[in-house]
Amino acid sequence: MGKIADQLVQMLVNAGIKRIYAVTGDSLNEVNDAVRREGSIQWIHVRHEEAGAYAAGAEAQLTGNIACCAGSSGPGHVHLINGLYDAHRSEAPVIAIASTVASFEYGTEYFQETNTIKLFDDCSHYNQVATTPKQFPRMMQAAIQAALHRKGVAVVGLPGDVTSMDTEEITSSTSNYNPVPVIRPSDEDIQKLADLLNSHKKITIFCGIGAGEAHDEVVALSQKLHAPVAYSFRSKMLIQYDNPYEVGMTGLLGLPSAYHAMHESELLVLLGTDFPYTPFMPTDCKIVQVDIKPERIGRRAKVEVGLNGDIKDTLTALLPLINQKEDDSFAKAQLEFYGEVKKNMKTYVEDKGRKDNIHPEYIASLLDEIAATDAIFTVDTGMSCVWGSRYINATGKRRMIGSFNHGSMANAMPQAIGAALAMPNRQVVALCGDGGLSMLLGDLATITQYNLPIKIVVFNNRSLGMVKLEMEVAGLPDWQTDMMNPDFAMVATAMGIKGFTINDPDEARHSLREAFLYNGPAVINIMTDPNALAMPPKVELSQVKGMAVSMTKLMLNGRMDEVIDTIKSNYKHFKDLI
């Protein structure tokens, strides 16, 4: 008979968990010691629990397996919240151990006391507190099952005094179960879908992350239908490659070609997507939606046919019923338009910028060229997301993760920690904004401590670039978006990481290659153009008006030089507007 802390560790080992991301302390100390004695789980000592939650979420997304983070009583587990929100919104199976004050202190407003049930309620599928030795294994087993099968976060609150108690026998199972069912619509519904597809000429397919495991089936369907394939940012790395009918992404970070293909179609097929940006959805064509979670159907668009199923299982049953279409004129027209869009994108790359104002599009294209064919990219929310989404291309082996649903800053560097630990033989590249990296800068020390050979590319535009753009589009002069940054290369050096600074576009290719060849962690501080804009695939007149109003306000406030810089930096965009 061992302690509850030992039982916890054994159940984590049995669930396939390889490491716990945590900061040890008080109520977690028995768990920490149990991990040490058991020996097969790594304790990853992050500097901030939020970074640990991000790292666990990244590990779960990349491996598909359950991952674990922990926080000690009060502030320790409160710090997990933002990273857990991100993991939950990303449907990453993560177990969070929220150790608490001693159970006999509950309800007394004791030092560091929190109500974990209220605290984690909105970012978890399972959320309970075990206050007795008999409760704990049942709750832990239920939490693991919930995280795995409902896809998201499960929280187990664990008082410090309970961790040192002796275990007790229970009558229910402490094992984990991972059945893999076939989930698809009924034969009747599959036939109805086939009839619909066979009877329409102009069809576009739009894929979300739910279609990621069905790449070959999506390509086969598109070839039978001569249907262009658009996709979301989350699914890009899984859908874009070896796909002759792909026309790019749509959405805020997307391309006009995908938007155009969707709006020109007679029938739009949504596969495994809960794409949130309804303004980018067409309103004058028939829409079919297939989703593993039927409660999502129709909440983003006026869907005529909604079907419940796993995308791979559904398409496997559907494909034999689809007739080969002969007319490929619609697909050809969309692919021709996509070719023009890609040609246009190259103009942003060909103009490299100038000293201390390197164009970020050029840097992103160099990263696409230099990074390994199986590299894992993490991208910060904001402008780093824009450049990564548009210029980093899929190979079939690359992965890219970010805070795509939760939309938090500061995610890329800690997610890279989880990626590097989970997949030590893969190159890991973090595309960080200067604002994002600044938020969790302390966890560079975690990278040093575990000697993780992450390449941290800092798009240093000395501002909160996306916020600045949002304000300008709304007709507001940007205010309080500028940043007085430290020298990130010197900060990296002080923390035991190789630091590089790139401020000349003509030296960027050579310097990036040198940094990527370095055998160890590196921070690459790149001085990018703070006035570079990201144009969405559909530019509203109100946005153009907003930008004009914003520029006028800047001029009236004596900031004419900024207006001139913005125009100079973005003359390339005028061809997008014409």
Side-chain angles (χ1 to χ4, degrees):
M1 184 182 287
K3 295 177 180 178
I4 290 294
D6 298 306
Q7 187 176 42
L8 162 63
V9 173
Q10 195 54 57
M11 290 183 78
L12 294 178
V13 170
N14 293 344
I17 287 165
K18 306 295 183 193
R19 53 196 65 82
I20 300 173
Y21 300 91
V23 178
T24 196
D26 47 71
S27 56
L28 262 184
N29 289 342
E30 287 281 356
V31 177
N32 175 292
D33 189 58
V35 170
R36 178 188 64 80
R37 287 184 282 103
E38 194 279 334
S40 68
I41 284 186
Q42 243 187 319
W43 184 282
I44 303 299
H45 177 197
V46 292
R47 298 307 188 268
H48 194 295
E49 290 90 348
E50 181 179 341
Y54 269 122
E59 180 179 326
Q61 288 179 71
L62 291 167
T63 64
N65 300 326
I66 199 162
C68 182
C69 58
S72 59
S73 57
H77 60 236
V78 170
H79 281 165
L80 295 171
I81 284 279
N82 197 48
L84 291 182
Y85 257 100
D86 186 76
H88 195 58
R89 294 292 308 276
S90 302
E91 299 188 335
V94 170
I95 289 283
I97 308 301
S99 70
T100 74
V101 299
S103 57
F104 54 83
E105 296 289 1
Y106 277 16
T108 68
E109 297 187 359
Y110 189 71
F111 176 68
Q112 294 189 331
E113 184 182 356
T114 61
N115 184 329
T116 59
I117 299 292
K118 286 183 177 179
L119 187 64
F120 296 104
D121 183 59
D122 195 41
C123 62
S124 61
H125 286 309
Y126 185 92
N127 177 24
Q128 295 293 336
V129 180
T131 56
T132 71
K134 274 201 167 181
Q135 276 184 322
F136 172 73
R138 295 186 73 179
M139 287 182 174
M140 193 66 196
Q141 195 267 353
I144 292 169
Q145 292 298 114
L148 276 174
H149 298 294
R150 295 183 68 187
K151 303 294 182 193
V153 170
V155 180
V156 177
L158 188 57
D161 59 317
V162 175
T163 61
S164 60
M165 292 179 185
D166 290 336
T167 60
E168 293 185 25
E169 284 293 319
I170 60 169
T171 54
S172 56
S173 179
T174 57
S175 299
N176 308 120
Y177 305 93
N178 196 14
V180 183
V182 172
I183 303 172
R184 67 170 181 81
S186 66
D187 290 345
E188 184 184 349
D189 281 348
I190 289 278
Q191 187 61 59
K192 280 181 186 173
L193 178 56
D195 293 343
L196 199 61
L197 294 170
N198 287 330
S199 63
H200 283 78
K201 288 181 180 177
K202 296 180 178 180
I203 301 171
T204 296
I205 298 167
F206 181 73
C207 296
I209 191 67
E213 297 298 315
H215 171 275
D216 293 352
E217 289 77 12
V218 167
V219 171
L221 180 64
S222 70
Q223 289 177 320
K224 274 195 164 187
L225 297 172
H226 293 306
V229 179
Y231 42 80
S232 67
F233 189 4
R234 281 189 77 192
S235 65
K236 177 180 178 175
M237 291 293 148
L238 304 172
I239 297 294
Q240 182 195 37
Y241 72 96
D242 294 343
N243 189 341
Y245 283 92
E246 67 97 4
V247 291
M249 299 182 310
T250 191
L252 290 172
L253 311 182
L255 304 175
S257 46
Y259 180 90
H260 190 266
M262 290 166 71
H263 281 73
E264 291 291 310
S265 62
E266 300 168 342
L267 178 65
L268 175 63
V269 183
L270 305 177
L271 298 177
T273 178
D274 193 33
F275 180 73
Y277 304 112
T278 53
F280 294 92
M281 282 289 178
T283 55
D284 55 357
C285 69
K286 281 187 180 175
I287 300 178
V288 174
Q289 185 173 1
V290 184
D291 203 289
I292 193 75
K293 293 186 175 180
E295 67 270 21
R296 291 174 172 168
I297 295 171
R299 70 179 181 181
R300 311 293 187 193
K302 289 186 177 177
V303 171
E304 289 203 19
V305 179
L307 301 176
N308 177 211
D310 171 83
I311 304 306
K312 190 178 180 75
D313 293 341
T314 301
L315 296 189
T316 299
L318 176 69
L319 279 165
L321 306 177
I322 299 298
N323 302 329
Q324 178 63 57
K325 292 192 186 295
E326 300 302 324
D327 184 359
D328 63 353
S329 57
F330 177 67
K332 274 186 173 172
Q334 303 311 314
L335 289 167
E336 195 174 309
F337 184 58
Y338 185 34
E340 289 300 313
V341 169
K342 287 193 282 190
K343 204 182 294 180
N344 222 20
M345 287 173 68
K346 282 184 183 172
T347 64
Y348 303 112
V349 171
E350 287 160 3
D351 183 350
K352 303 175 187 177
R354 62 188 193 278
K355 198 165 184 181
D356 290 327
N357 283 273
I358 304 173
H359 284 159
E361 301 96 331
Y362 174 60
I363 295 300
S365 72
L366 289 180
L367 293 174
D368 183 50
E369 173 191 315
I370 293 167
T373 56
D374 66 345
I376 298 166
F377 297 90
T378 63
V379 291
D380 261 343
T381 300
M383 300 305 270
S384 302
C385 242
V386 177
W387 316 131
S389 70
R390 292 184 180 174
Y391 291 94
I392 306 291
N393 289 299
T395 62
K397 295 177 182 176
R398 285 176 171 175
R399 293 291 303 275
M400 184 178 284
I401 56 174
S403 185
F404 298 141
N405 290 51
H406 185 47
S408 175
M409 288 176 66
N411 59 286
M413 185 264 283
Q415 285 179 330
I417 291 172
L421 285 160
M423 298 187 168
N425 298 318
R426 300 270 291 273
Q427 185 183 73
V428 178
V429 183
L431 277 61
C432 296
D434 47 351
L437 183 64
S438 298
M439 273 189 177
L440 287 172
L441 197 61
D443 269 280
L444 288 176
T446 306
I447 292 171
T448 304
Q449 184 162 335
Y450 295 95
N451 194 29
L452 304 175
I454 299 164
K455 308 307 176 201
I456 298 169
V457 181
V458 186
F459 286 78
N460 188 349
N461 59 8
R462 284 80 74 201
S463 70
L464 298 175
M466 184 64 88
V467 179
K468 179 178 176 178
L469 177 59
E470 288 166 354
M471 293 178 80
E472 288 170 345
V473 163
L476 303 170
D478 67 277
W479 191 65
Q480 297 298 332
T481 59
D482 292 340
M483 298 184 66
M484 292 291 291
N485 288 325
D487 183 326
F488 289 112
M490 286 184 70
V491 170
T493 302
M495 296 181 96
I497 295 174
K498 182 81 169 172
F500 296 82
T501 293
I502 301 174
N503 57 14
D504 187 338
D506 293 330
E507 295 173 7
R509 177 180 269 105
H510 172 76
S511 298
L512 275 172
R513 284 195 186 281
E514 184 186 351
F516 272 57
L517 286 169
Y518 175 70
N519 184 25
V523 167
I524 306 136
N525 179 34
I526 304 178
M527 310 306 281
T528 58
D529 186 349
N531 294 303
L533 295 181
M535 301 296 275
K538 182 192 179 195
V539 181
E540 301 283 359
L541 182 60
S542 62
Q543 294 174 321
V544 178
K545 282 181 182 172
M547 183 66 79
V549 170
S550 172
M551 294 296 110
T552 304
K553 287 178 181 175
L554 287 175
M555 285 189 278
L556 292 173
N557 281 289
R559 292 162 68 181
M560 187 67 194
D561 56 336
E562 268 187 58
V563 176
I564 292 167
D565 285 345
T566 300
I567 292 167
K568 278 183 182 175
S569 297
N570 298 287
Y571 70 89
K572 300 163 289 184
H573 285 299
F574 292 133
K575 67 176 73 175
D576 290 339
L577 295 171
I578 296 167

